[in-house]
Structure formats: structure tokens, C-alpha cells
Amino acid sequence: MNRLGTEVLIIGGGIIGTAVARELSKYKVDVTLVEKEADCGWGSTKASFTLVCQGCDCLEFRKEYQRSKYVWESIPLMEPLCRELDVPFKTIGELGIIRNDEQLLKFGKMKARAEQWIPNLAAHQFIDRDTLHQMEPNVTREFIGGEHGSGEAK
Ligand SMILES: Cc1cc2nc3c(=O)[nH]c(=O)nc-3n(C[C@H](O)[C@H](O)[C@H](O)COP(=O)(O)OP(=O)(O)OC[C@H]3O[C@@H](n4cnc5c(N)ncnc54)[C@H](O)[C@@H]3O)c2cc1C
């Protein structure tokens, strides 16, 4: 059996493995990335919608979750990284639907919790049914309103 000598072995060439390899390529370190498929990016990465989290999902973050911390810290890194890699990046904001009073209550709680933790939280506002319709005429009038995030950090 052949033995592979390397200082760092990265198993899997998805977005994470390749990003780690790219980062390590800035240092004097011997890195090997192995991928079991015919090419990189054939795992979950190929299914991604390529959305950068900065909308409603931020409101679901919890301070005590390590994942929330990492995702939040990564958001401002995305645009410069895309520029560096020559990948188009567009800030388009987000429009969420609020179906009923129960969802409205939940949205209020999440927003209050997120704002305690993230002072520069992108503007997430409740919008009423009429405003929702002006922004998106195809949504049924049964919904009581929506949540709008501009996508711009305050
Ligand atoms: C439908 C869908 C939509 C999504 N949309 C978004 C989105 O809009 N925005 C967002 O941020 N995230 C999105 N995600 C999540 C995102 O795609 C994943 O979190 C991300 O791609 C995971 O990357 P990864 O490198 O950890 O895993 P993968 O991309 O799965 O990479 C793992 C790699 O390891 C390889 N591998 C496994 N075992 C071995 C082995 N033993 N030896 C060698 N290679 C091995 C696999 O072949 C694979 O290439 C979406 C996910 C799905 C399914």
C-alpha cells in the first residue's frame, strides 16, 4: 500500500475542504486534499442555492449556539471574498411571509432576542399586508404581513 506523506490532510473537497485548502495555501505548509468523487464540489455544495445568510435566519440565531456565532462572524467576510475570487455578489435583501398572529408573535420575540445580541443587525421590519402587496403583488391577501430585511448592515 502506498503511504502518503503530508503535513495536513484534508478529506473532502466541498466548499469547506477547498476553503481550508485555499487558506492554508497562504502558509508554508504541505497540504493534500483528497476527494472521493470525480471532482470537487459534488457533495452538498453542488445543491447550495448560494444564498448568504443575513435575513430571517439571523433572527433564529442564539447566542449560546457556536454555529450562530460562526455564521454571524462570516457574513461580512463574504463580499470581499467573492470580489477576490471574481464571483458575482449581490445584496438583494429578504422578504418573509407572516401568515398569522402566532407567527407575528414569534417574529417579534426573535427580533427582540437578536437585537440584544447583534447591535448592527440588518434592519428587519414588520410590514403590513398592504405594504407586502406593494412589494410582492403575487402573495395572497390571506397573509397578515411580512418581514423585510434590506440585507444592508446598519
Ligand atoms: C438544497 C440545498 C440548498 C442549500 N442552500 C444553501 C445556501 O443557499 N446557502 C448556504 O450557505 N448553504 C446552503 N446549503 C448548505 C450548504 O450547501 C452546505 O452546508 C455546504 O455545501 C457543506 O459543505 P461541506 O464542504 O461541509 O460538505 P460537502 O459539500 O458535502 O463536501 C464534502 C465532500 O467530502 C467528500 N467526501 C466524503 N467522504 C469522503 C472520503 N471518505 N474521502 C474523500 N472525500 C470524501 C464528498 O464527496 C464531498 O465532496 C444548502 C444545502 C442544500 C442541500
Side-chain angles (χ1 to χ4, degrees):
M1 195 172 89
N2 288 337
R3 289 178 77 96
L4 175 74
T6 187
E7 285 175 283
V8 178
L9 176 64
I10 301 170
I11 302 172
I15 188 74
I16 299 298
T18 52
V20 169
R22 179 175 185 272
E23 199 56 32
L24 289 176
S25 72
K26 297 173 188 167
Y27 302 89
K28 269 197 161 194
V29 56
D30 181 20
V31 180
T32 304
L33 186 151
V34 291
E35 168 53 57
K36 73 178 169 68
E37 299 296 342
D39 204 349
C40 291
W42 280 21
S44 305
T45 297
K46 77 169 182 301
S48 170
F49 304 125
T50 70
L51 298 173
V52 173
C53 160
Q54 57 184 350
C56 297
D57 29 13
C58 294
L59 298 173
E60 290 175 10
F61 284 3
R62 283 181 183 270
K63 205 172 184 172
E64 60 272 29
Y65 293 167
Q66 196 67 0
R67 178 183 173 274
S68 298
K69 187 172 167 286
Y70 289 144
V71 173
W72 183 252
E73 286 176 4
S74 75
I75 293 170
L77 306 178
M78 293 304 287
E79 192 166 4
L81 178 67
C82 287
R83 216 177 304 126
E84 213 179 311
L85 297 174
D86 202 18
V87 171
F89 183 94
K90 219 166 150 187
T91 304
I92 55 171
E94 185 170 53
L95 186 61
I97 304 299
I98 297 180
R99 291 164 194 270
N100 50 37
D101 288 340
E102 197 185 326
Q103 284 192 347
L104 179 59
L105 199 68
K106 190 178 165 207
F107 168 69
K109 277 188 189 167
M110 286 195 301
K111 184 165 158 46
R113 189 182 63 214
E115 280 171 349
Q116 278 175 7
W117 176 35
I118 308 167
N120 64 342
L121 180 75
H124 288 267
Q125 300 301 337
F126 173 71
I127 53 169
D128 61 20
R129 183 180 280 137
D130 290 339
T131 314
L132 175 64
H133 260 265
Q134 275 167 19
M135 294 175 99
E136 180 46 74
N138 293 314
V139 171
T140 164
R141 290 196 74 87
E142 282 169 28
F143 299 148
I144 64 168
E147 171 274 336
H148 181 241
S150 67
E152 302 286 350
K154 269 185 185 165

PDB file of all heavy atoms in Angstrom, residues 11-17 34-37 39-53, ligand 1:
ATOM      1  N   ILE A  11      -9.807  15.865   4.097  1.00  0.00           N
ATOM      2  CA  ILE A  11     -10.638  14.832   3.479  1.00  0.00           C
ATOM      3  C   ILE A  11     -11.949  15.466   3.025  1.00  0.00           C
ATOM      4  O   ILE A  11     -12.758  15.898   3.846  1.00  0.00           O
ATOM      5  CB  ILE A  11     -10.899  13.656   4.459  1.00  0.00           C
ATOM      6  CG1 ILE A  11      -9.555  13.070   4.896  1.00  0.00           C
ATOM      7  CG2 ILE A  11     -11.781  12.593   3.808  1.00  0.00           C
ATOM      8  CD1 ILE A  11      -9.645  12.033   5.998  1.00  0.00           C
ATOM      9  N   GLY A  12     -12.113  15.564   1.712  1.00  0.00           N
ATOM     10  CA  GLY A  12     -13.355  16.103   1.158  1.00  0.00           C
ATOM     11  C   GLY A  12     -13.178  17.472   0.548  1.00  0.00           C
ATOM     12  O   GLY A  12     -12.739  18.416   1.196  1.00  0.00           O
ATOM     13  N   GLY A  13     -13.490  17.568  -0.739  1.00  0.00           N
ATOM     14  CA  GLY A  13     -13.329  18.827  -1.469  1.00  0.00           C
ATOM     15  C   GLY A  13     -14.649  19.530  -1.716  1.00  0.00           C
ATOM     16  O   GLY A  13     -14.980  19.890  -2.847  1.00  0.00           O
ATOM     17  N   GLY A  14     -15.422  19.726  -0.658  1.00  0.00           N
ATOM     18  CA  GLY A  14     -16.612  20.575  -0.752  1.00  0.00           C
ATOM     19  C   GLY A  14     -16.192  22.017  -0.498  1.00  0.00           C
ATOM     20  O   GLY A  14     -14.995  22.340  -0.510  1.00  0.00           O
ATOM     21  N   ILE A  15     -17.161  22.874  -0.255  1.00  0.00           N
ATOM     22  CA  ILE A  15     -16.842  24.285  -0.025  1.00  0.00           C
ATOM     23  C   ILE A  15     -15.920  24.451   1.188  1.00  0.00           C
ATOM     24  O   ILE A  15     -15.016  25.292   1.191  1.00  0.00           O
ATOM     25  CB  ILE A  15     -18.144  25.132   0.123  1.00  0.00           C
ATOM     26  CG1 ILE A  15     -17.860  26.625   0.178  1.00  0.00           C
ATOM     27  CG2 ILE A  15     -18.949  24.734   1.340  1.00  0.00           C
ATOM     28  CD1 ILE A  15     -17.486  27.233  -1.114  1.00  0.00           C
ATOM     29  N   ILE A  16     -16.131  23.595   2.197  1.00  0.00           N
ATOM     30  CA  ILE A  16     -15.325  23.732   3.420  1.00  0.00           C
ATOM     31  C   ILE A  16     -13.888  23.250   3.187  1.00  0.00           C
ATOM     32  O   ILE A  16     -12.925  23.988   3.463  1.00  0.00           O
ATOM     33  CB  ILE A  16     -15.973  22.956   4.597  1.00  0.00           C
ATOM     34  CG1 ILE A  16     -17.376  23.495   4.905  1.00  0.00           C
ATOM     35  CG2 ILE A  16     -15.078  22.999   5.838  1.00  0.00           C
ATOM     36  CD1 ILE A  16     -17.438  24.938   5.350  1.00  0.00           C
ATOM     37  N   GLY A  17     -13.753  22.042   2.652  1.00  0.00           N
ATOM     38  CA  GLY A  17     -12.404  21.495   2.435  1.00  0.00           C
ATOM     39  C   GLY A  17     -11.586  22.374   1.504  1.00  0.00           C
ATOM     40  O   GLY A  17     -10.401  22.640   1.761  1.00  0.00           O
ATOM     41  N   VAL A  34      -7.991  15.287  -0.445  1.00  0.00           N
ATOM     42  CA  VAL A  34      -8.473  14.108  -1.181  1.00  0.00           C
ATOM     43  C   VAL A  34      -9.984  14.191  -1.326  1.00  0.00           C
ATOM     44  O   VAL A  34     -10.691  14.634  -0.420  1.00  0.00           O
ATOM     45  CB  VAL A  34      -8.077  12.769  -0.494  1.00  0.00           C
ATOM     46  CG1 VAL A  34      -6.592  12.537  -0.571  1.00  0.00           C
ATOM     47  CG2 VAL A  34      -8.564  12.706   0.948  1.00  0.00           C
ATOM     48  N   GLU A  35     -10.459  13.811  -2.489  1.00  0.00           N
ATOM     49  CA  GLU A  35     -11.897  13.848  -2.776  1.00  0.00           C
ATOM     50  C   GLU A  35     -12.283  12.497  -3.371  1.00  0.00           C
ATOM     51  O   GLU A  35     -11.629  12.024  -4.297  1.00  0.00           O
ATOM     52  CB  GLU A  35     -12.197  15.011  -3.736  1.00  0.00           C
ATOM     53  CG  GLU A  35     -13.577  15.006  -4.330  1.00  0.00           C
ATOM     54  CD  GLU A  35     -14.693  14.921  -3.291  1.00  0.00           C
ATOM     55  OE1 GLU A  35     -14.758  15.774  -2.401  1.00  0.00           O
ATOM     56  OE2 GLU A  35     -15.500  13.987  -3.384  1.00  0.00           O
ATOM     57  N   LYS A  36     -13.344  11.900  -2.832  1.00  0.00           N
ATOM     58  CA  LYS A  36     -13.698  10.550  -3.306  1.00  0.00           C
ATOM     59  C   LYS A  36     -14.462  10.573  -4.635  1.00  0.00           C
ATOM     60  O   LYS A  36     -14.487   9.583  -5.350  1.00  0.00           O
ATOM     61  CB  LYS A  36     -14.493   9.798  -2.231  1.00  0.00           C
ATOM     62  CG  LYS A  36     -15.923  10.241  -2.006  1.00  0.00           C
ATOM     63  CD  LYS A  36     -16.572   9.355  -0.950  1.00  0.00           C
ATOM     64  CE  LYS A  36     -17.894   9.891  -0.468  1.00  0.00           C
ATOM     65  NZ  LYS A  36     -18.968   9.880  -1.418  1.00  0.00           N
ATOM     66  N   GLU A  37     -15.070  11.706  -4.960  1.00  0.00           N
ATOM     67  CA  GLU A  37     -15.801  11.780  -6.228  1.00  0.00           C
ATOM     68  C   GLU A  37     -14.843  12.196  -7.355  1.00  0.00           C
ATOM     69  O   GLU A  37     -13.684  12.488  -7.112  1.00  0.00           O
ATOM     70  CB  GLU A  37     -16.953  12.797  -6.128  1.00  0.00           C
ATOM     71  CG  GLU A  37     -17.992  12.469  -5.071  1.00  0.00           C
ATOM     72  CD  GLU A  37     -18.750  11.175  -5.331  1.00  0.00           C
ATOM     73  OE1 GLU A  37     -18.736  10.675  -6.472  1.00  0.00           O
ATOM     74  OE2 GLU A  37     -19.325  10.641  -4.372  1.00  0.00           O
ATOM     75  N   ASP A  39     -14.778  14.913  -8.984  1.00  0.00           N
ATOM     76  CA  ASP A  39     -14.379  16.315  -8.940  1.00  0.00           C
ATOM     77  C   ASP A  39     -14.777  16.901  -7.584  1.00  0.00           C
ATOM     78  O   ASP A  39     -15.588  16.309  -6.855  1.00  0.00           O
ATOM     79  CB  ASP A  39     -15.080  17.092 -10.075  1.00  0.00           C
ATOM     80  CG  ASP A  39     -14.324  18.355 -10.461  1.00  0.00           C
ATOM     81  OD1 ASP A  39     -13.386  18.739  -9.724  1.00  0.00           O
ATOM     82  OD2 ASP A  39     -14.670  18.952 -11.485  1.00  0.00           O
ATOM     83  N   CYS A  40     -14.248  18.082  -7.301  1.00  0.00           N
ATOM     84  CA  CYS A  40     -14.630  18.768  -6.062  1.00  0.00           C
ATOM     85  C   CYS A  40     -16.043  19.339  -6.210  1.00  0.00           C
ATOM     86  O   CYS A  40     -16.517  19.569  -7.331  1.00  0.00           O
ATOM     87  CB  CYS A  40     -13.648  19.912  -5.788  1.00  0.00           C
ATOM     88  SG  CYS A  40     -12.013  19.323  -5.341  1.00  0.00           S
ATOM     89  N   GLY A  41     -16.670  19.566  -5.091  1.00  0.00           N
ATOM     90  CA  GLY A  41     -17.976  20.235  -5.103  1.00  0.00           C
ATOM     91  C   GLY A  41     -19.129  19.351  -5.539  1.00  0.00           C
ATOM     92  O   GLY A  41     -20.170  19.861  -5.959  1.00  0.00           O
ATOM     93  N   TRP A  42     -18.969  18.061  -5.427  1.00  0.00           N
ATOM     94  CA  TRP A  42     -20.057  17.165  -5.849  1.00  0.00           C
ATOM     95  C   TRP A  42     -20.921  16.705  -4.677  1.00  0.00           C
ATOM     96  O   TRP A  42     -21.826  15.900  -4.840  1.00  0.00           O
ATOM     97  CB  TRP A  42     -19.483  15.941  -6.589  1.00  0.00           C
ATOM     98  CG  TRP A  42     -19.147  16.227  -8.015  1.00  0.00           C
ATOM     99  CD1 TRP A  42     -18.912  17.442  -8.564  1.00  0.00           C
ATOM    100  CD2 TRP A  42     -19.005  15.275  -9.074  1.00  0.00           C
ATOM    101  NE1 TRP A  42     -18.620  17.331  -9.891  1.00  0.00           N
ATOM    102  CE2 TRP A  42     -18.677  15.996 -10.235  1.00  0.00           C
ATOM    103  CE3 TRP A  42     -19.108  13.900  -9.162  1.00  0.00           C
ATOM    104  CZ2 TRP A  42     -18.462  15.387 -11.462  1.00  0.00           C
ATOM    105  CZ3 TRP A  42     -18.899  13.284 -10.387  1.00  0.00           C
ATOM    106  CH2 TRP A  42     -18.579  14.020 -11.520  1.00  0.00           C
ATOM    107  N   GLY A  43     -20.610  17.159  -3.481  1.00  0.00           N
ATOM    108  CA  GLY A  43     -21.414  16.789  -2.314  1.00  0.00           C
ATOM    109  C   GLY A  43     -22.527  17.805  -2.114  1.00  0.00           C
ATOM    110  O   GLY A  43     -23.116  18.304  -3.078  1.00  0.00           O
ATOM    111  N   SER A  44     -22.808  18.158  -0.850  1.00  0.00           N
ATOM    112  CA  SER A  44     -23.873  19.144  -0.560  1.00  0.00           C
ATOM    113  C   SER A  44     -23.636  20.442  -1.302  1.00  0.00           C
ATOM    114  O   SER A  44     -24.581  21.141  -1.683  1.00  0.00           O
ATOM    115  CB  SER A  44     -23.909  19.476   0.935  1.00  0.00           C
ATOM    116  OG  SER A  44     -24.037  18.331   1.682  1.00  0.00           O
ATOM    117  N   THR A  45     -22.356  20.762  -1.502  1.00  0.00           N
ATOM    118  CA  THR A  45     -22.014  22.052  -2.119  1.00  0.00           C
ATOM    119  C   THR A  45     -22.705  22.256  -3.466  1.00  0.00           C
ATOM    120  O   THR A  45     -23.115  23.371  -3.788  1.00  0.00           O
ATOM    121  CB  THR A  45     -20.471  22.154  -2.251  1.00  0.00           C
ATOM    122  OG1 THR A  45     -19.930  22.130  -0.928  1.00  0.00           O
ATOM    123  CG2 THR A  45     -20.029  23.410  -2.953  1.00  0.00           C
ATOM    124  N   LYS A  46     -22.868  21.183  -4.226  1.00  0.00           N
ATOM    125  CA  LYS A  46     -23.461  21.383  -5.562  1.00  0.00           C
ATOM    126  C   LYS A  46     -24.954  21.726  -5.467  1.00  0.00           C
ATOM    127  O   LYS A  46     -25.540  22.229  -6.404  1.00  0.00           O
ATOM    128  CB  LYS A  46     -23.228  20.167  -6.449  1.00  0.00           C
ATOM    129  CG  LYS A  46     -24.106  18.973  -6.189  1.00  0.00           C
ATOM    130  CD  LYS A  46     -23.939  17.968  -7.332  1.00  0.00           C
ATOM    131  CE  LYS A  46     -24.816  16.751  -7.175  1.00  0.00           C
ATOM    132  NZ  LYS A  46     -24.596  15.975  -5.952  1.00  0.00           N
ATOM    133  N   ALA A  47     -25.570  21.456  -4.281  1.00  0.00           N
ATOM    134  CA  ALA A  47     -27.003  21.716  -4.139  1.00  0.00           C
ATOM    135  C   ALA A  47     -27.286  23.131  -3.625  1.00  0.00           C
ATOM    136  O   ALA A  47     -28.421  23.585  -3.664  1.00  0.00           O
ATOM    137  CB  ALA A  47     -27.607  20.698  -3.176  1.00  0.00           C
ATOM    138  N   SER A  48     -26.249  23.825  -3.155  1.00  0.00           N
ATOM    139  CA  SER A  48     -26.473  25.117  -2.493  1.00  0.00           C
ATOM    140  C   SER A  48     -27.153  26.139  -3.415  1.00  0.00           C
ATOM    141  O   SER A  48     -26.851  26.222  -4.593  1.00  0.00           O
ATOM    142  CB  SER A  48     -25.137  25.682  -2.021  1.00  0.00           C
ATOM    143  OG  SER A  48     -25.307  27.009  -1.594  1.00  0.00           O
ATOM    144  N   PHE A  49     -28.062  26.906  -2.819  1.00  0.00           N
ATOM    145  CA  PHE A  49     -28.710  27.993  -3.581  1.00  0.00           C
ATOM    146  C   PHE A  49     -27.784  29.208  -3.675  1.00  0.00           C
ATOM    147  O   PHE A  49     -28.142  30.205  -4.263  1.00  0.00           O
ATOM    148  CB  PHE A  49     -30.001  28.435  -2.891  1.00  0.00           C
ATOM    149  CG  PHE A  49     -30.979  27.317  -2.664  1.00  0.00           C
ATOM    150  CD1 PHE A  49     -31.475  27.052  -1.391  1.00  0.00           C
ATOM    151  CD2 PHE A  49     -31.415  26.536  -3.716  1.00  0.00           C
ATOM    152  CE1 PHE A  49     -32.368  26.014  -1.179  1.00  0.00           C
ATOM    153  CE2 PHE A  49     -32.310  25.500  -3.504  1.00  0.00           C
ATOM    154  CZ  PHE A  49     -32.790  25.241  -2.238  1.00  0.00           C
ATOM    155  N   THR A  50     -26.650  29.140  -3.001  1.00  0.00           N
ATOM    156  CA  THR A  50     -25.639  30.209  -2.941  1.00  0.00           C
ATOM    157  C   THR A  50     -26.150  31.479  -2.255  1.00  0.00           C
ATOM    158  O   THR A  50     -25.716  32.582  -2.561  1.00  0.00           O
ATOM    159  CB  THR A  50     -25.046  30.564  -4.336  1.00  0.00           C
ATOM    160  OG1 THR A  50     -26.030  31.209  -5.129  1.00  0.00           O
ATOM    161  CG2 THR A  50     -24.514  29.346  -5.054  1.00  0.00           C
ATOM    162  N   LEU A  51     -27.065  31.298  -1.329  1.00  0.00           N
ATOM    163  CA  LEU A  51     -27.529  32.449  -0.552  1.00  0.00           C
ATOM    164  C   LEU A  51     -26.613  32.642   0.641  1.00  0.00           C
ATOM    165  O   LEU A  51     -26.235  31.677   1.291  1.00  0.00           O
ATOM    166  CB  LEU A  51     -28.954  32.209  -0.041  1.00  0.00           C
ATOM    167  CG  LEU A  51     -30.025  32.030  -1.109  1.00  0.00           C
ATOM    168  CD1 LEU A  51     -31.346  31.642  -0.465  1.00  0.00           C
ATOM    169  CD2 LEU A  51     -30.183  33.311  -1.903  1.00  0.00           C
ATOM    170  N   VAL A  52     -26.270  33.888   0.915  1.00  0.00           N
ATOM    171  CA  VAL A  52     -25.503  34.191   2.115  1.00  0.00           C
ATOM    172  C   VAL A  52     -26.493  34.560   3.203  1.00  0.00           C
ATOM    173  O   VAL A  52     -27.316  35.447   3.012  1.00  0.00           O
ATOM    174  CB  VAL A  52     -24.528  35.367   1.858  1.00  0.00           C
ATOM    175  CG1 VAL A  52     -23.853  35.781   3.152  1.00  0.00           C
ATOM    176  CG2 VAL A  52     -23.505  34.972   0.822  1.00  0.00           C
ATOM    177  N   CYS A  53     -26.394  33.862   4.307  1.00  0.00           N
ATOM    178  CA  CYS A  53     -27.321  34.095   5.412  1.00  0.00           C
ATOM    179  C   CYS A  53     -27.198  35.525   5.917  1.00  0.00           C
ATOM    180  O   CYS A  53     -26.127  35.947   6.318  1.00  0.00           O
ATOM    181  CB  CYS A  53     -26.974  33.119   6.521  1.00  0.00           C
ATOM    182  SG  CYS A  53     -27.595  33.603   8.107  1.00  0.00           S
TER     183      CYS A  53
HETATM  184  C1  LIG B   1     -30.637  22.028  -1.398  1.00  0.00           C
HETATM  185  C2  LIG B   1     -29.595  22.747  -0.564  1.00  0.00           C
HETATM  186  C3  LIG B   1     -29.523  24.119  -0.632  1.00  0.00           C
HETATM  187  C4  LIG B   1     -28.599  24.802   0.147  1.00  0.00           C
HETATM  188  N1  LIG B   1     -28.513  26.169   0.046  1.00  0.00           N
HETATM  189  C5  LIG B   1     -27.619  26.853   0.766  1.00  0.00           C
HETATM  190  C6  LIG B   1     -27.497  28.256   0.632  1.00  0.00           C
HETATM  191  O1  LIG B   1     -28.198  28.906  -0.133  1.00  0.00           O
HETATM  192  N2  LIG B   1     -26.581  28.890   1.389  1.00  0.00           N
HETATM  193  C7  LIG B   1     -25.752  28.206   2.264  1.00  0.00           C
HETATM  194  O2  LIG B   1     -24.920  28.848   2.932  1.00  0.00           O
HETATM  195  N3  LIG B   1     -25.830  26.860   2.400  1.00  0.00           N
HETATM  196  C8  LIG B   1     -26.733  26.179   1.671  1.00  0.00           C
HETATM  197  N4  LIG B   1     -26.820  24.812   1.797  1.00  0.00           N
HETATM  198  C9  LIG B   1     -25.905  24.142   2.709  1.00  0.00           C
HETATM  199  C10 LIG B   1     -24.525  24.024   2.056  1.00  0.00           C
HETATM  200  O3  LIG B   1     -24.653  23.572   0.720  1.00  0.00           O
HETATM  201  C11 LIG B   1     -23.676  23.052   2.878  1.00  0.00           C
HETATM  202  O4  LIG B   1     -23.665  23.457   4.234  1.00  0.00           O
HETATM  203  C12 LIG B   1     -22.234  23.031   2.377  1.00  0.00           C
HETATM  204  O5  LIG B   1     -22.180  22.841   0.982  1.00  0.00           O
HETATM  205  C13 LIG B   1     -21.474  21.932   3.086  1.00  0.00           C
HETATM  206  O6  LIG B   1     -20.167  21.930   2.573  1.00  0.00           O
HETATM  207  P1  LIG B   1     -19.123  20.843   3.022  1.00  0.00           P
HETATM  208  O7  LIG B   1     -17.852  21.143   2.308  1.00  0.00           O
HETATM  209  O8  LIG B   1     -19.114  20.754   4.511  1.00  0.00           O
HETATM  210  O9  LIG B   1     -19.769  19.452   2.549  1.00  0.00           O
HETATM  211  P2  LIG B   1     -19.851  18.749   1.030  1.00  0.00           P
HETATM  212  O10 LIG B   1     -20.057  19.804   0.013  1.00  0.00           O
HETATM  213  O11 LIG B   1     -20.811  17.683   1.193  1.00  0.00           O
HETATM  214  O12 LIG B   1     -18.366  18.245   0.899  1.00  0.00           O
HETATM  215  C14 LIG B   1     -17.907  17.068   1.494  1.00  0.00           C
HETATM  216  C15 LIG B   1     -17.042  16.386   0.462  1.00  0.00           C
HETATM  217  O13 LIG B   1     -16.374  15.294   1.082  1.00  0.00           O
HETATM  218  C16 LIG B   1     -16.304  14.246   0.154  1.00  0.00           C
HETATM  219  N5  LIG B   1     -16.064  13.039   0.936  1.00  0.00           N
HETATM  220  C17 LIG B   1     -16.877  12.450   1.825  1.00  0.00           C
HETATM  221  N6  LIG B   1     -16.284  11.367   2.366  1.00  0.00           N
HETATM  222  C18 LIG B   1     -15.051  11.289   1.802  1.00  0.00           C
HETATM  223  C19 LIG B   1     -13.975  10.387   1.958  1.00  0.00           C
HETATM  224  N7  LIG B   1     -14.040   9.353   2.815  1.00  0.00           N
HETATM  225  N8  LIG B   1     -12.878  10.591   1.226  1.00  0.00           N
HETATM  226  C20 LIG B   1     -12.800  11.634   0.364  1.00  0.00           C
HETATM  227  N9  LIG B   1     -13.782  12.526   0.169  1.00  0.00           N
HETATM  228  C21 LIG B   1     -14.898  12.345   0.898  1.00  0.00           C
HETATM  229  C22 LIG B   1     -17.639  14.306  -0.550  1.00  0.00           C
HETATM  230  O14 LIG B   1     -17.624  13.645  -1.805  1.00  0.00           O
HETATM  231  C23 LIG B   1     -17.829  15.809  -0.708  1.00  0.00           C
HETATM  232  O15 LIG B   1     -17.317  16.312  -1.925  1.00  0.00           O
HETATM  233  C24 LIG B   1     -27.729  24.105   1.023  1.00  0.00           C
HETATM  234  C25 LIG B   1     -27.805  22.698   1.087  1.00  0.00           C
HETATM  235  C26 LIG B   1     -28.716  22.029   0.281  1.00  0.00           C
HETATM  236  C27 LIG B   1     -28.773  20.514   0.356  1.00  0.00           C
END
